[in-house]
Coordinates of all heavy atoms in Angstrom, one line a residue:
M1 N 38.1 7.5 9.9 CA 37.7 8.8 9.2 C 37.9 8.5 7.6 O 38.8 7.9 7.2 CB 38.8 9.8 9.5 CG 38.6 11.1 8.8 SD 39.7 12.3 9.4 CE 39.0 13.8 8.7
I2 N 36.8 8.8 6.9 CA 36.8 8.6 5.4 C 37.1 9.9 4.7 O 36.4 10.9 5.0 CB 35.4 8.0 5.1 CG1 35.1 6.7 5.7 CG2 35.3 8.0 3.6 CD1 33.8 6.1 5.4
F3 N 37.9 9.8 3.8 CA 38.2 11.0 3.0 C 37.0 11.3 2.0 O 36.2 10.4 1.8 CB 39.5 10.8 2.1 CG 40.7 10.7 3.0 CD1 41.4 9.5 3.1 CD2 41.2 11.8 3.6 CE1 42.6 9.4 3.9 CE2 42.4 11.7 4.4 CZ 43.0 10.5 4.6
Q4 N 37.0 12.5 1.6 CA 35.9 12.9 0.7 C 35.8 12.1 -0.6 O 34.8 11.7 -1.1 CB 36.0 14.4 0.4 CG 34.7 14.9 -0.2 CD 34.7 16.5 -0.4 OE1 35.7 17.1 0.0 NE2 33.7 17.0 -0.9
A5 N 37.0 11.8 -1.2 CA 37.0 11.0 -2.4 C 36.5 9.6 -2.2 O 35.8 9.0 -3.0 CB 38.5 11.0 -2.9
E6 N 36.8 9.0 -1.0 CA 36.3 7.7 -0.7 C 34.8 7.8 -0.5 O 34.1 6.8 -0.9 CB 37.0 7.2 0.6 CG 38.4 6.8 0.4 CD 39.1 6.5 1.7 OE1 38.7 7.0 2.8 OE2 40.1 5.7 1.7
Q7 N 34.3 8.8 0.2 CA 32.9 9.0 0.4 C 32.1 9.1 -1.0 O 31.1 8.5 -1.2 CB 32.6 10.2 1.2 CG 31.1 10.4 1.6 CD 30.6 9.3 2.4 OE1 31.3 8.8 3.3 NE2 29.4 8.9 2.2
K8 N 32.7 9.8 -1.9 CA 32.1 9.9 -3.3 C 32.1 8.6 -4.0 O 31.1 8.3 -4.6 CB 32.9 11.0 -4.1 CG 32.6 12.4 -3.7 CD 33.4 13.4 -4.6 CE 33.1 14.8 -4.2 NZ 33.8 15.7 -5.1
L9 N 33.2 7.9 -3.8 CA 33.3 6.6 -4.5 C 32.2 5.6 -3.9 O 31.5 4.9 -4.6 CB 34.7 5.9 -4.3 CG 34.9 4.5 -4.9 CD1 34.6 4.6 -6.4 CD2 36.3 4.0 -4.6
L10 N 32.2 5.6 -2.5 CA 31.2 4.7 -1.9 C 29.7 5.1 -2.3 O 28.9 4.2 -2.5 CB 31.4 4.7 -0.4 CG 32.6 4.0 0.1 CD1 32.8 4.3 1.6 CD2 32.6 2.6 -0.2
S11 N 29.5 6.4 -2.4 CA 28.2 6.9 -2.7 C 27.9 6.5 -4.2 O 26.7 6.0 -4.5 CB 28.1 8.4 -2.6 OG 26.9 8.9 -3.0
Y12 N 28.8 6.6 -5.1 CA 28.7 6.2 -6.5 C 28.3 4.7 -6.5 O 27.4 4.2 -7.3 CB 29.8 6.6 -7.3 CG 29.7 6.1 -8.8 CD1 29.0 6.9 -9.7 CD2 30.2 4.9 -9.2 CE1 28.9 6.5 -11.0 CE2 30.1 4.5 -10.5 CZ 29.4 5.3 -11.4 OH 29.3 4.9 -12.7
L13 N 29.1 3.9 -5.9 CA 29.0 2.4 -5.9 C 27.6 2.0 -5.3 O 26.9 1.1 -5.9 CB 30.1 1.7 -5.2 CG 31.4 1.8 -5.7 CD1 32.5 1.2 -4.8 CD2 31.4 1.2 -7.1
Y14 N 27.2 2.7 -4.3 CA 25.8 2.4 -3.7 C 24.7 2.8 -4.6 O 23.7 2.1 -4.8 CB 25.7 3.1 -2.4 CG 24.4 2.8 -1.7 CD1 24.3 1.6 -1.0 CD2 23.3 3.7 -1.7 CE1 23.1 1.2 -0.4 CE2 22.1 3.4 -1.1 CZ 22.0 2.1 -0.4 OH 20.8 1.8 0.1
D15 N 24.8 4.0 -5.3 CA 23.8 4.4 -6.2 C 23.7 3.6 -7.5 O 22.6 3.4 -8.1 CB 24.1 5.9 -6.6 CG 23.8 6.8 -5.4 OD1 23.2 6.4 -4.5 OD2 24.4 8.0 -5.5
H16 N 24.8 2.9 -7.8 CA 24.9 2.1 -9.1 C 25.1 0.6 -8.8 O 25.8 0.0 -9.5 CB 25.9 2.7 -10.0 CG 25.6 4.1 -10.5 ND1 26.1 5.2 -9.8 CD2 24.9 4.5 -11.5 CE1 25.7 6.2 -10.4 NE2 24.9 5.9 -11.4
K17 N 24.6 0.2 -7.7 CA 24.9 -1.2 -7.3 C 24.5 -2.3 -8.3 O 25.1 -3.3 -8.4 CB 24.4 -1.5 -5.9 CG 22.9 -1.3 -5.7 CD 22.5 -1.5 -4.2 CE 21.1 -1.0 -4.1 NZ 20.8 -0.7 -2.7
D18 N 23.5 -2.0 -9.0 CA 23.0 -3.0 -10.0 C 24.1 -3.2 -11.1 O 24.4 -4.3 -11.6 CB 21.7 -2.6 -10.6 CG 20.5 -2.8 -9.6 OD1 20.7 -3.5 -8.6 OD2 19.5 -2.1 -9.9
K19 N 24.6 -2.0 -11.6 CA 25.6 -2.0 -12.6 C 26.9 -2.6 -12.1 O 27.5 -3.3 -12.8 CB 25.8 -0.6 -13.1 CG 24.7 0.0 -13.9 CD 24.9 1.4 -14.3 CE 23.7 1.9 -14.9 NZ 23.8 3.4 -15.3
V20 N 27.2 -2.3 -10.9 CA 28.5 -2.8 -10.3 C 28.4 -4.4 -10.2 O 29.3 -5.1 -10.5 CB 28.8 -2.2 -9.0 CG1 29.9 -2.8 -8.2 CG2 29.1 -0.7 -9.1
A21 N 27.3 -4.9 -9.7 CA 27.0 -6.3 -9.5 C 27.1 -7.0 -10.9 O 27.7 -8.0 -11.1 CB 25.7 -6.6 -8.9
F22 N 26.5 -6.4 -12.0 CA 26.6 -6.9 -13.3 C 28.0 -7.0 -13.8 O 28.4 -8.0 -14.4 CB 25.7 -6.0 -14.2 CG 25.8 -6.5 -15.7 CD1 25.0 -7.6 -16.1 CD2 26.5 -5.9 -16.6 CE1 25.1 -8.1 -17.4 CE2 26.6 -6.3 -17.9 CZ 25.9 -7.4 -18.3
V23 N 28.7 -5.9 -13.6 CA 30.2 -5.9 -14.1 C 31.0 -7.0 -13.3 O 31.8 -7.7 -13.9 CB 30.7 -4.5 -13.9 CG1 32.3 -4.5 -14.2 CG2 30.1 -3.5 -14.9
I24 N 30.8 -7.1 -12.1 CA 31.5 -8.2 -11.3 C 31.1 -9.6 -11.8 O 32.0 -10.4 -12.0 CB 31.3 -8.0 -9.7 CG1 31.9 -6.7 -9.2 CG2 31.7 -9.2 -9.0 CD1 31.5 -6.3 -7.9
A25 N 29.8 -9.7 -12.0 CA 29.4 -11.1 -12.4 C 30.0 -11.4 -13.8 O 30.4 -12.5 -14.1 CB 27.9 -11.1 -12.5
L26 N 29.9 -10.4 -14.7 CA 30.6 -10.5 -16.0 C 32.0 -10.8 -16.0 O 32.5 -11.7 -16.8 CB 30.3 -9.2 -16.9 CG 30.6 -9.3 -18.3 CD1 29.7 -10.3 -19.0 CD2 30.5 -7.9 -18.9
A27 N 32.7 -10.2 -15.1 CA 34.1 -10.5 -15.0 C 34.4 -11.8 -14.5 O 35.3 -12.6 -15.0 CB 34.8 -9.4 -14.1
L28 N 33.7 -12.3 -13.5 CA 33.8 -13.7 -13.0 C 33.5 -14.7 -14.1 O 34.2 -15.7 -14.2 CB 32.9 -13.9 -11.8 CG 33.4 -13.1 -10.5 CD1 32.3 -13.3 -9.4 CD2 34.7 -13.6 -10.0
L29 N 32.5 -14.5 -14.8 CA 32.1 -15.4 -15.9 C 33.1 -15.4 -17.0 O 33.5 -16.5 -17.6 CB 30.8 -15.0 -16.5 CG 29.6 -15.3 -15.6 CD1 28.3 -14.7 -16.2 CD2 29.4 -16.8 -15.3
L30 N 33.7 -14.3 -17.3 CA 34.8 -14.2 -18.3 C 36.0 -15.0 -17.9 O 36.7 -15.7 -18.6 CB 35.1 -12.8 -18.6 CG 36.2 -12.5 -19.7 CD1 35.7 -13.1 -21.0 CD2 36.5 -11.0 -19.8
V31 N 36.4 -14.9 -16.6 CA 37.5 -15.6 -16.0 C 37.3 -17.1 -16.1 O 38.1 -17.9 -16.5 CB 37.8 -15.2 -14.6 CG1 38.8 -16.1 -13.9 CG2 38.4 -13.7 -14.6
A32 N 36.0 -17.5 -15.7 CA 35.6 -18.9 -15.8 C 35.7 -19.4 -17.2 O 36.2 -20.6 -17.5 CB 34.3 -19.1 -15.2
R33 N 35.3 -18.7 -18.2 CA 35.3 -19.0 -19.6 C 36.7 -19.2 -20.1 O 37.1 -20.2 -20.8 CB 34.6 -18.0 -20.5 CG 34.7 -18.2 -21.9 CD 33.9 -19.4 -22.3 NE 33.9 -19.6 -23.8 CZ 34.2 -20.7 -24.5 NH1 34.4 -21.8 -23.8 NH2 34.1 -20.7 -25.8
I34 N 37.7 -18.3 -19.7 CA 39.0 -18.4 -20.1 C 39.7 -19.6 -19.5 O 40.5 -20.3 -20.2 CB 39.8 -17.1 -19.7 CG1 39.3 -16.0 -20.7 CG2 41.2 -17.2 -19.9 CD1 39.7 -14.6 -20.3
K35 N 39.4 -19.9 -18.2 CA 40.0 -21.1 -17.5 C 39.5 -22.4 -18.2 O 40.3 -23.3 -18.2 CB 39.6 -21.1 -16.1 CG 40.2 -19.9 -15.3 CD 41.6 -20.3 -14.9 CE 42.2 -19.2 -14.0 NZ 43.5 -19.4 -13.6
L36 N 38.3 -22.4 -18.7 CA 37.8 -23.7 -19.2 C 37.9 -23.8 -20.7 O 37.5 -24.7 -21.3 CB 36.3 -23.8 -18.9 CG 35.9 -23.9 -17.4 CD1 34.4 -23.8 -17.1 CD2 36.5 -25.2 -16.9
L37 N 38.5 -22.8 -21.3 CA 38.6 -22.7 -22.8 C 39.4 -24.0 -23.4 O 39.0 -24.6 -24.4 CB 39.4 -21.5 -23.3 CG 39.3 -21.1 -24.7 CD1 37.8 -21.0 -25.2 CD2 40.0 -19.8 -25.0
P38 N 40.5 -24.5 -22.7 CA 41.2 -25.6 -23.3 C 40.5 -26.9 -23.1 O 40.9 -28.0 -23.7 CB 42.5 -25.6 -22.6 CG 42.4 -24.7 -21.4 CD 41.2 -23.9 -21.7
F39 N 39.4 -27.0 -22.4 CA 38.7 -28.3 -22.1 C 38.0 -28.8 -23.4 O 37.4 -28.0 -24.1 CB 37.6 -28.0 -21.0 CG 36.7 -29.2 -20.8 CD1 37.2 -30.3 -20.1 CD2 35.5 -29.2 -21.3 CE1 36.4 -31.4 -19.9 CE2 34.7 -30.4 -21.1 CZ 35.1 -31.4 -20.4
Q40 N 38.2 -30.1 -23.6 CA 37.5 -30.7 -24.7 C 36.8 -31.9 -24.2 O 37.4 -32.8 -23.6 CB 38.6 -31.2 -25.8 CG 39.3 -30.1 -26.5 CD 40.3 -30.6 -27.5 OE1 40.5 -31.7 -27.7 NE2 40.8 -29.6 -28.2
S41 N 35.5 -31.9 -24.5 CA 34.7 -33.0 -24.0 C 34.9 -34.3 -24.7 O 35.5 -34.3 -25.8 CB 33.1 -32.6 -24.0 OG 32.8 -32.6 -25.4
G42 N 34.4 -35.4 -24.1 CA 34.5 -36.7 -24.8 C 33.8 -36.7 -26.2 O 34.2 -37.3 -27.1
D43 N 32.7 -36.0 -26.2 CA 31.9 -35.9 -27.5 C 32.7 -35.2 -28.5 O 32.7 -35.6 -29.7 CB 30.6 -35.1 -27.2 CG 29.7 -35.0 -28.4 OD1 29.5 -36.1 -29.0 OD2 29.3 -33.9 -28.8
Y44 N 33.4 -34.1 -28.2 CA 34.3 -33.5 -29.1 C 35.4 -34.4 -29.7 O 35.7 -34.5 -30.8 CB 34.8 -32.2 -28.6 CG 35.9 -31.5 -29.5 CD1 35.4 -30.7 -30.6 CD2 37.2 -31.7 -29.4 CE1 36.2 -30.2 -31.5 CE2 38.1 -31.2 -30.3 CZ 37.6 -30.4 -31.3 OH 38.5 -29.8 -32.2
E45 N 36.1 -35.1 -28.7 CA 37.2 -35.9 -29.1 C 36.8 -37.1 -29.8 O 37.5 -37.6 -30.8 CB 37.9 -36.4 -27.8 CG 38.6 -35.3 -27.1 CD 39.3 -35.7 -25.8 OE1 39.2 -36.9 -25.4 OE2 39.9 -34.8 -25.2
L46 N 35.6 -37.7 -29.6 CA 35.2 -38.9 -30.3 C 34.5 -38.6 -31.6 O 34.6 -39.4 -32.6 CB 34.2 -39.7 -29.5 CG 34.9 -40.4 -28.3 CD1 33.9 -41.1 -27.4 CD2 36.0 -41.4 -28.7
F47 N 33.7 -37.5 -31.7 CA 32.8 -37.3 -32.9 C 33.1 -36.0 -33.7 O 33.4 -36.0 -34.8 CB 31.3 -37.3 -32.5 CG 30.9 -38.6 -31.8 CD1 30.7 -38.7 -30.5 CD2 30.8 -39.7 -32.6 CE1 30.3 -39.9 -29.9 CE2 30.4 -40.9 -32.1 CZ 30.2 -41.0 -30.7
L48 N 33.0 -34.9 -32.9 CA 33.1 -33.6 -33.6 C 34.5 -33.3 -34.1 O 34.7 -32.8 -35.2 CB 32.7 -32.5 -32.6 CG 32.6 -31.1 -33.3 CD1 31.5 -31.1 -34.4 CD2 32.2 -30.1 -32.2
G49 N 35.6 -33.6 -33.3 CA 36.9 -33.4 -33.7 C 37.4 -34.1 -35.0 O 37.8 -33.5 -36.0
P50 N 37.1 -35.4 -35.1 CA 37.5 -36.1 -36.3 C 36.7 -35.7 -37.4 O 37.1 -35.5 -38.6 CB 37.2 -37.6 -35.9 CG 37.3 -37.6 -34.5 CD 36.8 -36.4 -34.0
W51 N 35.3 -35.4 -37.3 CA 34.5 -34.9 -38.4 C 35.0 -33.6 -38.9 O 35.1 -33.3 -40.1 CB 33.1 -34.8 -37.8 CG 32.1 -34.2 -38.8 CD1 31.6 -34.7 -39.9 CD2 31.5 -32.9 -38.6 NE1 30.7 -33.9 -40.5 CE2 30.6 -32.7 -39.7 CE3 31.7 -31.9 -37.7 CZ2 29.9 -31.6 -39.9 CZ3 30.9 -30.7 -37.9 CH2 30.1 -30.5 -39.0
Y52 N 35.4 -32.7 -38.0 CA 35.9 -31.3 -38.4 C 37.2 -31.5 -39.1 O 37.4 -30.8 -40.2 CB 36.1 -30.5 -37.2 CG 36.7 -29.1 -37.5 CD1 36.0 -28.1 -38.1 CD2 38.1 -28.9 -37.3 CE1 36.6 -26.9 -38.4 CE2 38.7 -27.7 -37.6 CZ 38.0 -26.7 -38.2 OH 38.6 -25.5 -38.5
N53 N 38.1 -32.4 -38.6 CA 39.4 -32.6 -39.3 C 39.1 -33.1 -40.7 O 39.9 -32.8 -41.7 CB 40.3 -33.5 -38.5 CG 40.7 -32.8 -37.2 OD1 40.8 -31.6 -37.2 ND2 41.1 -33.5 -36.2
Q54 N 38.2 -34.1 -40.9 CA 38.0 -34.6 -42.2 C 37.5 -33.6 -43.1 O 38.0 -33.5 -44.3 CB 36.9 -35.7 -42.1 CG 36.6 -36.4 -43.4 CD 35.5 -37.4 -43.3 OE1 35.0 -37.7 -42.2 NE2 35.2 -38.1 -44.4
I55 N 36.6 -32.7 -42.7 CA 36.0 -31.7 -43.6 C 37.2 -30.7 -43.9 O 37.3 -30.3 -45.1 CB 34.9 -30.9 -42.9 CG1 33.7 -31.8 -42.8 CG2 34.5 -29.7 -43.6 CD1 32.5 -31.3 -42.0
N56 N 38.0 -30.4 -42.9 CA 39.1 -29.4 -43.1 C 40.1 -30.0 -44.1 O 40.6 -29.3 -45.0 CB 39.7 -29.1 -41.8 CG 40.6 -27.8 -41.8 OD1 40.3 -27.0 -42.7 ND2 41.4 -27.7 -40.9
N57 N 40.4 -31.3 -44.0 CA 41.4 -31.9 -44.9 C 40.9 -32.0 -46.3 O 41.6 -31.9 -47.3 CB 41.8 -33.2 -44.3 CG 42.7 -33.1 -43.1 OD1 43.3 -32.1 -42.8 ND2 42.6 -34.2 -42.2
E58 N 39.6 -32.3 -46.5 CA 39.1 -32.5 -47.8 C 39.0 -31.2 -48.6 O 39.1 -31.1 -49.8 CB 37.7 -33.1 -47.7 CG 37.7 -34.5 -47.4 CD 36.3 -35.1 -47.2 OE1 35.3 -34.4 -47.4 OE2 36.2 -36.3 -46.9
R59 N 38.9 -30.1 -47.9 CA 38.8 -28.8 -48.5 C 40.2 -28.3 -48.8 O 40.4 -27.3 -49.5 CB 38.2 -27.7 -47.6 CG 36.8 -27.7 -47.6 CD 36.2 -26.5 -46.9 NE 36.8 -26.3 -45.6 CZ 36.8 -25.2 -44.9 NH1 36.3 -24.1 -45.4 NH2 37.3 -25.1 -43.7
G60 N 41.2 -28.9 -48.3 CA 42.6 -28.4 -48.4 C 43.1 -27.5 -47.3 O 44.1 -26.9 -47.4
G61 N 42.2 -27.4 -46.3 CA 42.5 -26.6 -45.1 C 42.9 -25.2 -45.3 O 43.4 -24.5 -44.7

Protein backbone atom coordinates (compact mmCIF):
# COMPACT_ATOMS: atom_id res chain seq x y z
CA MET A 1 0.00 0.00 0.00
CA ILE A 2 1.44 3.36 -1.05
CA PHE A 3 0.62 6.47 0.92
CA GLN A 4 -0.65 9.53 -0.91
CA ALA A 5 2.57 11.48 -0.28
CA GLU A 6 4.61 8.63 -1.76
CA GLN A 7 2.31 8.53 -4.77
CA LYS A 8 2.78 12.27 -5.31
CA LEU A 9 6.55 11.92 -5.03
CA LEU A 10 6.65 9.03 -7.49
CA SER A 11 4.40 10.93 -9.87
CA TYR A 12 6.64 14.01 -9.65
CA LEU A 13 9.79 11.96 -10.24
CA TYR A 14 8.22 10.21 -13.21
CA ASP A 15 7.03 13.49 -14.73
CA HIS A 16 10.48 15.10 -14.31
CA LYS A 17 12.67 12.08 -14.99
CA ASP A 18 14.99 14.04 -17.32
CA LYS A 19 15.75 16.60 -14.63
CA VAL A 20 16.16 13.89 -11.99
CA ALA A 21 18.59 11.98 -14.21
CA PHE A 22 20.56 15.18 -14.83
CA VAL A 23 20.82 15.94 -11.11
CA ILE A 24 21.92 12.38 -10.32
CA ALA A 25 24.56 12.46 -13.08
CA LEU A 26 25.76 15.87 -11.90
CA ALA A 27 26.07 14.62 -8.32
CA LEU A 28 28.04 11.54 -9.43
CA LEU A 29 30.39 13.66 -11.53
CA LEU A 30 30.91 16.05 -8.65
CA VAL A 31 31.81 13.18 -6.32
CA ALA A 32 34.25 11.81 -8.91
CA ARG A 33 35.84 15.26 -9.31
CA ILE A 34 36.29 15.65 -5.56
CA LYS A 35 37.80 12.16 -5.24
CA LEU A 36 40.29 12.84 -8.06
CA LEU A 37 41.18 16.38 -6.99
CA PRO A 38 44.47 15.48 -5.23
CA PHE A 39 45.72 13.54 -8.29
CA GLN A 40 48.77 15.05 -9.99
CA SER A 41 49.80 13.66 -13.35
CA GLY A 42 53.37 13.01 -14.36
CA ASP A 43 53.17 15.96 -16.75
CA TYR A 44 52.29 18.26 -13.86
CA GLU A 45 55.05 16.91 -11.63
CA LEU A 46 57.75 17.11 -14.32
CA PHE A 47 56.86 20.27 -16.22
CA LEU A 48 53.96 22.38 -15.04
CA GLY A 49 54.66 22.25 -11.28
CA PRO A 50 58.28 23.44 -11.46
CA TRP A 51 57.37 26.07 -14.06
CA TYR A 52 54.55 27.39 -11.87
CA ASN A 53 56.79 27.43 -8.79
CA GLN A 54 59.49 29.35 -10.69
CA ILE A 55 57.01 31.98 -11.84
CA ASN A 56 55.53 32.21 -8.36
CA ASN A 57 58.94 32.59 -6.71
CA GLU A 58 60.12 35.26 -9.16
CA ARG A 59 57.07 37.39 -8.48
CA GLY A 60 57.61 37.12 -4.76
CA GLY A 61 54.61 34.83 -4.36
